[in-house]
mmCIF file with all atom_site columns, all heavy atoms in Angstrom:
data_model
loop_
_atom_site.group_PDB
_atom_site.id
_atom_site.type_symbol
_atom_site.label_atom_id
_atom_site.label_alt_id
_atom_site.label_comp_id
_atom_site.label_asym_id
_atom_site.label_entity_id
_atom_site.label_seq_id
_atom_site.pdbx_PDB_ins_code
_atom_site.Cartn_x
_atom_site.Cartn_y
_atom_site.Cartn_z
_atom_site.occupancy
_atom_site.B_iso_or_equiv
_atom_site.pdbx_formal_charge
_atom_site.auth_seq_id
_atom_site.auth_comp_id
_atom_site.auth_asym_id
_atom_site.auth_atom_id
_atom_site.pdbx_PDB_model_num
ATOM 1   N N   . GLU E 1 1  ? 0.846  -1.196  0.000   1.00 92.00 ? 67 GLU E N   1
ATOM 2   C CA  . GLU E 1 1  ? 0.000  0.000   0.000   1.00 92.00 ? 67 GLU E CA  1
ATOM 3   C C   . GLU E 1 1  ? 0.875  1.238   0.000   1.00 92.00 ? 67 GLU E C   1
ATOM 4   O O   . GLU E 1 1  ? 1.803  1.354   0.807   1.00 92.00 ? 67 GLU E O   1
ATOM 5   C CB  . GLU E 1 1  ? -0.905 -0.019  1.248   1.00 92.00 ? 67 GLU E CB  1
ATOM 6   C CG  . GLU E 1 1  ? -1.909 1.109   1.309   1.00 92.00 ? 67 GLU E CG  1
ATOM 7   C CD  . GLU E 1 1  ? -2.785 1.014   2.553   1.00 92.00 ? 67 GLU E CD  1
ATOM 8   O OE1 . GLU E 1 1  ? -2.954 -0.099  3.084   1.00 92.00 ? 67 GLU E OE1 1
ATOM 9   O OE2 . GLU E 1 1  ? -3.282 2.062   2.989   1.00 92.00 ? 67 GLU E OE2 1
ATOM 10  N N   . ASN E 1 2  ? 0.592  2.178   -0.919  1.00 90.00 ? 68 ASN E N   1
ATOM 11  C CA  . ASN E 1 2  ? 1.356  3.430   -1.034  1.00 90.00 ? 68 ASN E CA  1
ATOM 12  C C   . ASN E 1 2  ? 2.865  3.160   -1.119  1.00 90.00 ? 68 ASN E C   1
ATOM 13  O O   . ASN E 1 2  ? 3.668  3.832   -0.471  1.00 90.00 ? 68 ASN E O   1
ATOM 14  C CB  . ASN E 1 2  ? 1.059  4.347   0.159   1.00 90.00 ? 68 ASN E CB  1
ATOM 15  C CG  . ASN E 1 2  ? -0.384 4.786   0.190   1.00 90.00 ? 68 ASN E CG  1
ATOM 16  O OD1 . ASN E 1 2  ? -1.023 4.950   -0.840  1.00 90.00 ? 68 ASN E OD1 1
ATOM 17  N ND2 . ASN E 1 2  ? -0.924 4.965   1.394   1.00 90.00 ? 68 ASN E ND2 1
ATOM 18  N N   . GLN E 1 3  ? 3.209  2.145   -1.893  1.00 93.00 ? 69 GLN E N   1
ATOM 19  C CA  . GLN E 1 3  ? 4.603  1.741   -2.127  1.00 93.00 ? 69 GLN E CA  1
ATOM 20  C C   . GLN E 1 3  ? 5.258  1.088   -0.913  1.00 93.00 ? 69 GLN E C   1
ATOM 21  O O   . GLN E 1 3  ? 6.416  0.670   -0.974  1.00 93.00 ? 69 GLN E O   1
ATOM 22  C CB  . GLN E 1 3  ? 5.460  2.927   -2.593  1.00 93.00 ? 69 GLN E CB  1
ATOM 23  C CG  . GLN E 1 3  ? 5.026  3.484   -3.962  1.00 93.00 ? 69 GLN E CG  1
ATOM 24  C CD  . GLN E 1 3  ? 5.966  4.566   -4.446  1.00 93.00 ? 69 GLN E CD  1
ATOM 25  O OE1 . GLN E 1 3  ? 6.260  5.525   -3.745  1.00 93.00 ? 69 GLN E OE1 1
ATOM 26  N NE2 . GLN E 1 3  ? 6.458  4.413   -5.664  1.00 93.00 ? 69 GLN E NE2 1
ATOM 27  N N   . ASN E 1 4  ? 4.551  1.010   0.206   1.00 95.00 ? 70 ASN E N   1
ATOM 28  C CA  . ASN E 1 4  ? 5.063  0.287   1.372   1.00 95.00 ? 70 ASN E CA  1
ATOM 29  C C   . ASN E 1 4  ? 4.723  -1.189  1.239   1.00 95.00 ? 70 ASN E C   1
ATOM 30  O O   . ASN E 1 4  ? 3.655  -1.548  0.739   1.00 95.00 ? 70 ASN E O   1
ATOM 31  C CB  . ASN E 1 4  ? 4.445  0.817   2.665   1.00 95.00 ? 70 ASN E CB  1
ATOM 32  C CG  . ASN E 1 4  ? 4.905  2.231   2.995   1.00 95.00 ? 70 ASN E CG  1
ATOM 33  O OD1 . ASN E 1 4  ? 6.055  2.590   2.736   1.00 95.00 ? 70 ASN E OD1 1
ATOM 34  N ND2 . ASN E 1 4  ? 4.020  3.032   3.546   1.00 95.00 ? 70 ASN E ND2 1
ATOM 35  N N   . VAL E 1 5  ? 5.625  -2.041  1.697   1.00 96.00 ? 71 VAL E N   1
ATOM 36  C CA  . VAL E 1 5  ? 5.380  -3.479  1.707   1.00 96.00 ? 71 VAL E CA  1
ATOM 37  C C   . VAL E 1 5  ? 5.177  -3.890  3.162   1.00 96.00 ? 71 VAL E C   1
ATOM 38  O O   . VAL E 1 5  ? 6.010  -3.592  4.025   1.00 96.00 ? 71 VAL E O   1
ATOM 39  C CB  . VAL E 1 5  ? 6.566  -4.258  1.098   1.00 96.00 ? 71 VAL E CB  1
ATOM 40  C CG1 . VAL E 1 5  ? 6.304  -5.760  1.155   1.00 96.00 ? 71 VAL E CG1 1
ATOM 41  C CG2 . VAL E 1 5  ? 6.809  -3.813  -0.341  1.00 96.00 ? 71 VAL E CG2 1
ATOM 42  N N   . TYR E 1 6  ? 4.040  -4.560  3.439   1.00 96.00 ? 72 TYR E N   1
ATOM 43  C CA  . TYR E 1 6  ? 3.725  -4.978  4.805   1.00 96.00 ? 72 TYR E CA  1
ATOM 44  C C   . TYR E 1 6  ? 3.978  -6.475  4.939   1.00 96.00 ? 72 TYR E C   1
ATOM 45  O O   . TYR E 1 6  ? 3.476  -7.277  4.148   1.00 96.00 ? 72 TYR E O   1
ATOM 46  C CB  . TYR E 1 6  ? 2.279  -4.632  5.146   1.00 96.00 ? 72 TYR E CB  1
ATOM 47  C CG  . TYR E 1 6  ? 2.048  -3.133  5.190   1.00 96.00 ? 72 TYR E CG  1
ATOM 48  C CD1 . TYR E 1 6  ? 1.723  -2.423  4.030   1.00 96.00 ? 72 TYR E CD1 1
ATOM 49  C CD2 . TYR E 1 6  ? 2.197  -2.428  6.376   1.00 96.00 ? 72 TYR E CD2 1
ATOM 50  C CE1 . TYR E 1 6  ? 1.540  -1.040  4.061   1.00 96.00 ? 72 TYR E CE1 1
ATOM 51  C CE2 . TYR E 1 6  ? 2.014  -1.043  6.413   1.00 96.00 ? 72 TYR E CE2 1
ATOM 52  C CZ  . TYR E 1 6  ? 1.681  -0.365  5.255   1.00 96.00 ? 72 TYR E CZ  1
ATOM 53  O OH  . TYR E 1 6  ? 1.502  0.995   5.297   1.00 96.00 ? 72 TYR E OH  1
ATOM 54  N N   . ILE E 1 7  ? 4.779  -6.825  5.951   1.00 96.00 ? 73 ILE E N   1
ATOM 55  C CA  . ILE E 1 7  ? 5.259  -8.192  6.106   1.00 96.00 ? 73 ILE E CA  1
ATOM 56  C C   . ILE E 1 7  ? 4.768  -8.766  7.431   1.00 96.00 ? 73 ILE E C   1
ATOM 57  O O   . ILE E 1 7  ? 4.954  -8.163  8.502   1.00 96.00 ? 73 ILE E O   1
ATOM 58  C CB  . ILE E 1 7  ? 6.795  -8.229  6.048   1.00 96.00 ? 73 ILE E CB  1
ATOM 59  C CG1 . ILE E 1 7  ? 7.277  -7.620  4.727   1.00 96.00 ? 73 ILE E CG1 1
ATOM 60  C CG2 . ILE E 1 7  ? 7.320  -9.653  6.195   1.00 96.00 ? 73 ILE E CG2 1
ATOM 61  C CD1 . ILE E 1 7  ? 8.750  -7.292  4.700   1.00 96.00 ? 73 ILE E CD1 1
ATOM 62  N N   . ASP E 1 8  ? 4.144  -9.915  7.367   1.00 95.00 ? 74 ASP E N   1
ATOM 63  C CA  . ASP E 1 8  ? 3.621  -10.589 8.557   1.00 95.00 ? 74 ASP E CA  1
ATOM 64  C C   . ASP E 1 8  ? 4.765  -11.322 9.263   1.00 95.00 ? 74 ASP E C   1
ATOM 65  O O   . ASP E 1 8  ? 5.373  -12.224 8.698   1.00 95.00 ? 74 ASP E O   1
ATOM 66  C CB  . ASP E 1 8  ? 2.525  -11.574 8.141   1.00 95.00 ? 74 ASP E CB  1
ATOM 67  C CG  . ASP E 1 8  ? 1.903  -12.286 9.331   1.00 95.00 ? 74 ASP E CG  1
ATOM 68  O OD1 . ASP E 1 8  ? 2.178  -11.884 10.474  1.00 95.00 ? 74 ASP E OD1 1
ATOM 69  O OD2 . ASP E 1 8  ? 1.142  -13.254 9.114   1.00 95.00 ? 74 ASP E OD2 1
ATOM 70  N N   . LEU E 1 9  ? 5.023  -10.924 10.526  1.00 93.00 ? 75 LEU E N   1
ATOM 71  C CA  . LEU E 1 9  ? 6.071  -11.574 11.311  1.00 93.00 ? 75 LEU E CA  1
ATOM 72  C C   . LEU E 1 9  ? 5.491  -12.470 12.402  1.00 93.00 ? 75 LEU E C   1
ATOM 73  O O   . LEU E 1 9  ? 6.188  -12.867 13.329  1.00 93.00 ? 75 LEU E O   1
ATOM 74  C CB  . LEU E 1 9  ? 6.992  -10.522 11.951  1.00 93.00 ? 75 LEU E CB  1
ATOM 75  C CG  . LEU E 1 9  ? 7.754  -9.606  10.998  1.00 93.00 ? 75 LEU E CG  1
ATOM 76  C CD1 . LEU E 1 9  ? 8.615  -8.627  11.787  1.00 93.00 ? 75 LEU E CD1 1
ATOM 77  C CD2 . LEU E 1 9  ? 8.613  -10.403 10.034  1.00 93.00 ? 75 LEU E CD2 1
ATOM 78  N N   . GLY E 1 10 ? 4.204  -12.772 12.294  1.00 87.00 ? 76 GLY E N   1
ATOM 79  C CA  . GLY E 1 10 ? 3.557  -13.596 13.310  1.00 87.00 ? 76 GLY E CA  1
ATOM 80  C C   . GLY E 1 10 ? 2.506  -12.788 14.038  1.00 87.00 ? 76 GLY E C   1
ATOM 81  O O   . GLY E 1 10 ? 1.387  -12.642 13.574  1.00 87.00 ? 76 GLY E O   1
ATOM 82  N N   . LYS E 1 11 ? 2.879  -12.206 15.192  1.00 81.00 ? 77 LYS E N   1
ATOM 83  C CA  . LYS E 1 11 ? 1.930  -11.414 15.980  1.00 81.00 ? 77 LYS E CA  1
ATOM 84  C C   . LYS E 1 11 ? 2.019  -9.925  15.673  1.00 81.00 ? 77 LYS E C   1
ATOM 85  O O   . LYS E 1 11 ? 1.348  -9.117  16.305  1.00 81.00 ? 77 LYS E O   1
ATOM 86  C CB  . LYS E 1 11 ? 2.169  -11.635 17.475  1.00 81.00 ? 77 LYS E CB  1
ATOM 87  C CG  . LYS E 1 11 ? 1.786  -13.031 17.946  1.00 81.00 ? 77 LYS E CG  1
ATOM 88  C CD  . LYS E 1 11 ? 1.894  -13.133 19.461  1.00 81.00 ? 77 LYS E CD  1
ATOM 89  C CE  . LYS E 1 11 ? 1.420  -14.486 19.947  1.00 81.00 ? 77 LYS E CE  1
ATOM 90  N NZ  . LYS E 1 11 ? 1.489  -14.595 21.420  1.00 81.00 ? 77 LYS E NZ  1
ATOM 91  N N   . VAL E 1 12 ? 2.844  -9.571  14.708  1.00 89.00 ? 78 VAL E N   1
ATOM 92  C CA  . VAL E 1 12 ? 3.022  -8.157  14.389  1.00 89.00 ? 78 VAL E CA  1
ATOM 93  C C   . VAL E 1 12 ? 3.344  -8.016  12.902  1.00 89.00 ? 78 VAL E C   1
ATOM 94  O O   . VAL E 1 12 ? 3.783  -8.967  12.259  1.00 89.00 ? 78 VAL E O   1
ATOM 95  C CB  . VAL E 1 12 ? 4.157  -7.547  15.260  1.00 89.00 ? 78 VAL E CB  1
ATOM 96  C CG1 . VAL E 1 12 ? 5.503  -8.093  14.840  1.00 89.00 ? 78 VAL E CG1 1
ATOM 97  C CG2 . VAL E 1 12 ? 4.149  -6.032  15.216  1.00 89.00 ? 78 VAL E CG2 1
ATOM 98  N N   . GLU E 1 13 ? 3.088  -6.816  12.399  1.00 91.00 ? 79 GLU E N   1
ATOM 99  C CA  . GLU E 1 13 ? 3.323  -6.527  10.985  1.00 91.00 ? 79 GLU E CA  1
ATOM 100 C C   . GLU E 1 13 ? 4.522  -5.593  10.863  1.00 91.00 ? 79 GLU E C   1
ATOM 101 O O   . GLU E 1 13 ? 4.630  -4.606  11.589  1.00 91.00 ? 79 GLU E O   1
ATOM 102 C CB  . GLU E 1 13 ? 2.066  -5.851  10.420  1.00 91.00 ? 79 GLU E CB  1
ATOM 103 C CG  . GLU E 1 13 ? 1.979  -5.846  8.918   1.00 91.00 ? 79 GLU E CG  1
ATOM 104 C CD  . GLU E 1 13 ? 0.637  -5.283  8.459   1.00 91.00 ? 79 GLU E CD  1
ATOM 105 O OE1 . GLU E 1 13 ? 0.340  -4.113  8.772   1.00 91.00 ? 79 GLU E OE1 1
ATOM 106 O OE2 . GLU E 1 13 ? -0.105 -6.009  7.805   1.00 91.00 ? 79 GLU E OE2 1
ATOM 107 N N   . ALA E 1 14 ? 5.441  -5.914  9.967   1.00 94.00 ? 80 ALA E N   1
ATOM 108 C CA  . ALA E 1 14 ? 6.601  -5.063  9.718   1.00 94.00 ? 80 ALA E CA  1
ATOM 109 C C   . ALA E 1 14 ? 6.362  -4.237  8.462   1.00 94.00 ? 80 ALA E C   1
ATOM 110 O O   . ALA E 1 14 ? 5.616  -4.653  7.566   1.00 94.00 ? 80 ALA E O   1
ATOM 111 C CB  . ALA E 1 14 ? 7.860  -5.911  9.552   1.00 94.00 ? 80 ALA E CB  1
ATOM 112 N N   . VAL E 1 15 ? 6.997  -3.060  8.415   1.00 96.00 ? 81 VAL E N   1
ATOM 113 C CA  . VAL E 1 15 ? 6.832  -2.155  7.280   1.00 96.00 ? 81 VAL E CA  1
ATOM 114 C C   . VAL E 1 15 ? 8.158  -1.984  6.559   1.00 96.00 ? 81 VAL E C   1
ATOM 115 O O   . VAL E 1 15 ? 9.169  -1.613  7.170   1.00 96.00 ? 81 VAL E O   1
ATOM 116 C CB  . VAL E 1 15 ? 6.309  -0.776  7.729   1.00 96.00 ? 81 VAL E CB  1
ATOM 117 C CG1 . VAL E 1 15 ? 6.071  0.120   6.518   1.00 96.00 ? 81 VAL E CG1 1
ATOM 118 C CG2 . VAL E 1 15 ? 5.041  -0.911  8.550   1.00 96.00 ? 81 VAL E CG2 1
ATOM 119 N N   . LEU E 1 16 ? 8.138  -2.264  5.257   1.00 96.00 ? 82 LEU E N   1
ATOM 120 C CA  . LEU E 1 16 ? 9.300  -2.053  4.393   1.00 96.00 ? 82 LEU E CA  1
ATOM 121 C C   . LEU E 1 16 ? 8.986  -0.849  3.513   1.00 96.00 ? 82 LEU E C   1
ATOM 122 O O   . LEU E 1 16 ? 8.207  -0.937  2.566   1.00 96.00 ? 82 LEU E O   1
ATOM 123 C CB  . LEU E 1 16 ? 9.563  -3.302  3.558   1.00 96.00 ? 82 LEU E CB  1
ATOM 124 C CG  . LEU E 1 16 ? 10.765 -3.274  2.602   1.00 96.00 ? 82 LEU E CG  1
ATOM 125 C CD1 . LEU E 1 16 ? 12.069 -3.186  3.374   1.00 96.00 ? 82 LEU E CD1 1
ATOM 126 C CD2 . LEU E 1 16 ? 10.766 -4.506  1.699   1.00 96.00 ? 82 LEU E CD2 1
ATOM 127 N N   . THR E 1 17 ? 9.575  0.308   3.856   1.00 96.00 ? 83 THR E N   1
ATOM 128 C CA  . THR E 1 17 ? 9.285  1.545   3.132   1.00 96.00 ? 83 THR E CA  1
ATOM 129 C C   . THR E 1 17 ? 10.069 1.581   1.818   1.00 96.00 ? 83 THR E C   1
ATOM 130 O O   . THR E 1 17 ? 11.054 0.854   1.658   1.00 96.00 ? 83 THR E O   1
ATOM 131 C CB  . THR E 1 17 ? 9.647  2.769   3.980   1.00 96.00 ? 83 THR E CB  1
ATOM 132 O OG1 . THR E 1 17 ? 11.047 2.745   4.252   1.00 96.00 ? 83 THR E OG1 1
ATOM 133 C CG2 . THR E 1 17 ? 8.878  2.770   5.305   1.00 96.00 ? 83 THR E CG2 1
ATOM 134 N N   . PRO E 1 18 ? 9.667  2.446   0.873   1.00 95.00 ? 84 PRO E N   1
ATOM 135 C CA  . PRO E 1 18 ? 10.370 2.521   -0.419  1.00 95.00 ? 84 PRO E CA  1
ATOM 136 C C   . PRO E 1 18 ? 11.870 2.760   -0.282  1.00 95.00 ? 84 PRO E C   1
ATOM 137 O O   . PRO E 1 18 ? 12.663 2.206   -1.039  1.00 95.00 ? 84 PRO E O   1
ATOM 138 C CB  . PRO E 1 18 ? 9.671  3.690   -1.122  1.00 95.00 ? 84 PRO E CB  1
ATOM 139 C CG  . PRO E 1 18 ? 8.302  3.717   -0.534  1.00 95.00 ? 84 PRO E CG  1
ATOM 140 C CD  . PRO E 1 18 ? 8.474  3.308   0.896   1.00 95.00 ? 84 PRO E CD  1
ATOM 141 N N   . ASN E 1 19 ? 12.280 3.596   0.698   1.00 95.00 ? 85 ASN E N   1
ATOM 142 C CA  . ASN E 1 19 ? 13.702 3.901   0.877   1.00 95.00 ? 85 ASN E CA  1
ATOM 143 C C   . ASN E 1 19 ? 14.520 2.686   1.314   1.00 95.00 ? 85 ASN E C   1
ATOM 144 O O   . ASN E 1 19 ? 15.741 2.659   1.140   1.00 95.00 ? 85 ASN E O   1
ATOM 145 C CB  . ASN E 1 19 ? 13.884 5.014   1.918   1.00 95.00 ? 85 ASN E CB  1
ATOM 146 C CG  . ASN E 1 19 ? 13.424 6.357   1.401   1.00 95.00 ? 85 ASN E CG  1
ATOM 147 O OD1 . ASN E 1 19 ? 13.313 6.559   0.189   1.00 95.00 ? 85 ASN E OD1 1
ATOM 148 N ND2 . ASN E 1 19 ? 13.140 7.276   2.308   1.00 95.00 ? 85 ASN E ND2 1
ATOM 149 N N   . GLU E 1 20 ? 13.846 1.698   1.885   1.00 96.00 ? 86 GLU E N   1
ATOM 150 C CA  . GLU E 1 20 ? 14.546 0.507   2.373   1.00 96.00 ? 86 GLU E CA  1
ATOM 151 C C   . GLU E 1 20 ? 14.394 -0.682  1.422   1.00 96.00 ? 86 GLU E C   1
ATOM 152 O O   . GLU E 1 20 ? 14.824 -1.790  1.744   1.00 96.00 ? 86 GLU E O   1
ATOM 153 C CB  . GLU E 1 20 ? 14.026 0.131   3.771   1.00 96.00 ? 86 GLU E CB  1
ATOM 154 C CG  . GLU E 1 20 ? 14.208 1.199   4.829   1.00 96.00 ? 86 GLU E CG  1
ATOM 155 C CD  . GLU E 1 20 ? 15.667 1.500   5.132   1.00 96.00 ? 86 GLU E CD  1
ATOM 156 O OE1 . GLU E 1 20 ? 16.525 0.648   4.818   1.00 96.00 ? 86 GLU E OE1 1
ATOM 157 O OE2 . GLU E 1 20 ? 15.960 2.585   5.665   1.00 96.00 ? 86 GLU E OE2 1
ATOM 158 N N   . GLN E 1 21 ? 13.778 -0.453  0.276   1.00 96.00 ? 87 GLN E N   1
ATOM 159 C CA  . GLN E 1 21 ? 13.590 -1.523  -0.701  1.00 96.00 ? 87 GLN E CA  1
ATOM 160 C C   . GLN E 1 21 ? 14.744 -1.530  -1.701  1.00 96.00 ? 87 GLN E C   1
ATOM 161 O O   . GLN E 1 21 ? 15.251 -0.475  -2.092  1.00 96.00 ? 87 GLN E O   1
ATOM 162 C CB  . GLN E 1 21 ? 12.260 -1.333  -1.440  1.00 96.00 ? 87 GLN E CB  1
ATOM 163 C CG  . GLN E 1 21 ? 11.045 -1.454  -0.531  1.00 96.00 ? 87 GLN E CG  1
ATOM 164 C CD  . GLN E 1 21 ? 9.756  -1.021  -1.207  1.00 96.00 ? 87 GLN E CD  1
ATOM 165 O OE1 . GLN E 1 21 ? 9.670  -0.964  -2.436  1.00 96.00 ? 87 GLN E OE1 1
ATOM 166 N NE2 . GLN E 1 21 ? 8.734  -0.711  -0.416  1.00 96.00 ? 87 GLN E NE2 1
ATOM 167 N N   . ILE E 1 22 ? 15.139 -2.729  -2.138  1.00 94.00 ? 88 ILE E N   1
ATOM 168 C CA  . ILE E 1 22 ? 16.185 -2.849  -3.139  1.00 94.00 ? 88 ILE E CA  1
ATOM 169 C C   . ILE E 1 22 ? 15.637 -2.356  -4.478  1.00 94.00 ? 88 ILE E C   1
ATOM 170 O O   . ILE E 1 22 ? 14.565 -2.791  -4.912  1.00 94.00 ? 88 ILE E O   1
ATOM 171 C CB  . ILE E 1 22 ? 16.648 -4.312  -3.267  1.00 94.00 ? 88 ILE E CB  1
ATOM 172 C CG1 . ILE E 1 22 ? 17.337 -4.750  -1.974  1.00 94.00 ? 88 ILE E CG1 1
ATOM 173 C CG2 . ILE E 1 22 ? 17.586 -4.481  -4.458  1.00 94.00 ? 88 ILE E CG2 1
ATOM 174 C CD1 . ILE E 1 22 ? 17.759 -6.207  -1.955  1.00 94.00 ? 88 ILE E CD1 1
ATOM 175 N N   . PRO E 1 23 ? 16.318 -1.421  -5.137  1.00 92.00 ? 89 PRO E N   1
ATOM 176 C CA  . PRO E 1 23 ? 15.838 -0.902  -6.428  1.00 92.00 ? 89 PRO E CA  1
ATOM 177 C C   . PRO E 1 23 ? 15.575 -2.031  -7.424  1.00 92.00 ? 89 PRO E C   1
ATOM 178 O O   . PRO E 1 23 ? 16.422 -2.905  -7.626  1.00 92.00 ? 89 PRO E O   1
ATOM 179 C CB  . PRO E 1 23 ? 16.998 -0.009  -6.902  1.00 92.00 ? 89 PRO E CB  1
ATOM 180 C CG  . PRO E 1 23 ? 17.692 0.400   -5.651  1.00 92.00 ? 89 PRO E CG  1
ATOM 181 C CD  . PRO E 1 23 ? 17.588 -0.779  -4.733  1.00 92.00 ? 89 PRO E CD  1
ATOM 182 N N   . GLY E 1 24 ? 14.388 -1.994  -8.011  1.00 90.00 ? 90 GLY E N   1
ATOM 183 C CA  . GLY E 1 24 ? 14.040 -2.978  -9.028  1.00 90.00 ? 90 GLY E CA  1
ATOM 184 C C   . GLY E 1 24 ? 13.558 -4.306  -8.486  1.00 90.00 ? 90 GLY E C   1
ATOM 185 O O   . GLY E 1 24 ? 13.122 -5.178  -9.259  1.00 90.00 ? 90 GLY E O   1
ATOM 186 N N   . GLU E 1 25 ? 13.612 -4.503  -7.169  1.00 92.00 ? 91 GLU E N   1
ATOM 187 C CA  . GLU E 1 25 ? 13.170 -5.785  -6.601  1.00 92.00 ? 91 GLU E CA  1
ATOM 188 C C   . GLU E 1 25 ? 11.645 -5.867  -6.645  1.00 92.00 ? 91 GLU E C   1
ATOM 189 O O   . GLU E 1 25 ? 10.942 -4.916  -6.308  1.00 92.00 ? 91 GLU E O   1
ATOM 190 C CB  . GLU E 1 25 ? 13.663 -5.923  -5.158  1.00 92.00 ? 91 GLU E CB  1
ATOM 191 C CG  . GLU E 1 25 ? 13.447 -7.307  -4.588  1.00 92.00 ? 91 GLU E CG  1
ATOM 192 C CD  . GLU E 1 25 ? 14.185 -7.513  -3.266  1.00 92.00 ? 91 GLU E CD  1
ATOM 193 O OE1 . GLU E 1 25 ? 14.051 -6.651  -2.373  1.00 92.00 ? 91 GLU E OE1 1
ATOM 194 O OE2 . GLU E 1 25 ? 14.897 -8.525  -3.138  1.00 92.00 ? 91 GLU E OE2 1
ATOM 195 N N   . ILE E 1 26 ? 11.143 -7.011  -7.063  1.00 92.00 ? 92 ILE E N   1
ATOM 196 C CA  . ILE E 1 26 ? 9.690  -7.228  -7.182  1.00 92.00 ? 92 ILE E CA  1
ATOM 197 C C   . ILE E 1 26 ? 9.217  -8.058  -6.000  1.00 92.00 ? 92 ILE E C   1
ATOM 198 O O   . ILE E 1 26 ? 9.814  -9.092  -5.669  1.00 92.00 ? 92 ILE E O   1
ATOM 199 C CB  . ILE E 1 26 ? 9.348  -7.931  -8.509  1.00 92.00 ? 92 ILE E CB  1
ATOM 200 C CG1 . ILE E 1 26 ? 9.771  -7.056  -9.692  1.00 92.00 ? 92 ILE E CG1 1
ATOM 201 C CG2 . ILE E 1 26 ? 7.858  -8.248  -8.579  1.00 92.00 ? 92 ILE E CG2 1
ATOM 202 C CD1 . ILE E 1 26 ? 9.635  -7.735  -11.040 1.00 92.00 ? 92 ILE E CD1 1
ATOM 203 N N   . TYR E 1 27 ? 8.150  -7.606  -5.346  1.00 93.00 ? 93 TYR E N   1
ATOM 204 C CA  . TYR E 1 27 ? 7.620  -8.293  -4.168  1.00 93.00 ? 93 TYR E CA  1
ATOM 205 C C   . TYR E 1 27 ? 6.284  -8.949  -4.514  1.00 93.00 ? 93 TYR E C   1
ATOM 206 O O   . TYR E 1 27 ? 5.402  -8.309  -5.084  1.00 93.00 ? 93 TYR E O   1
ATOM 207 C CB  . TYR E 1 27 ? 7.465  -7.298  -3.012  1.00 93.00 ? 93 TYR E CB  1
ATOM 208 C CG  . TYR E 1 27 ? 8.764  -6.597  -2.682  1.00 93.00 ? 93 TYR E CG  1
ATOM 209 C CD1 . TYR E 1 27 ? 8.992  -5.272  -3.074  1.00 93.00 ? 93 TYR E CD1 1
ATOM 210 C CD2 . TYR E 1 27 ? 9.783  -7.264  -2.023  1.00 93.00 ? 93 TYR E CD2 1
ATOM 211 C CE1 . TYR E 1 27 ? 10.192 -4.634  -2.793  1.00 93.00 ? 93 TYR E CE1 1
ATOM 212 C CE2 . TYR E 1 27 ? 10.997 -6.631  -1.742  1.00 93.00 ? 93 TYR E CE2 1
ATOM 213 C CZ  . TYR E 1 27 ? 11.187 -5.318  -2.126  1.00 93.00 ? 93 TYR E CZ  1
ATOM 214 O OH  . TYR E 1 27 ? 12.377 -4.700  -1.852  1.00 93.00 ? 93 TYR E OH  1
#
């Protein structure tokens, strides 16, 4: 959502923002 990638870690959700994403990597 809004270029953020939300990752399920079990009991909590982690946020991978655009600045922390590898350029060109497809999720």
Side-chain angles (χ1 to χ4, degrees):
E67 185 179 335
N68 296 328
Q69 295 185 308
N70 292 325
V71 178
Y72 294 87
I73 303 166
D74 182 10
L75 299 180
K77 291 187 176 181
V78 70
E79 197 174 61
V81 183
L82 181 66
T83 62
N85 289 340
E86 300 295 340
Q87 296 170 19
I88 294 176
E91 190 169 50
I92 298 173
Y93 304 104

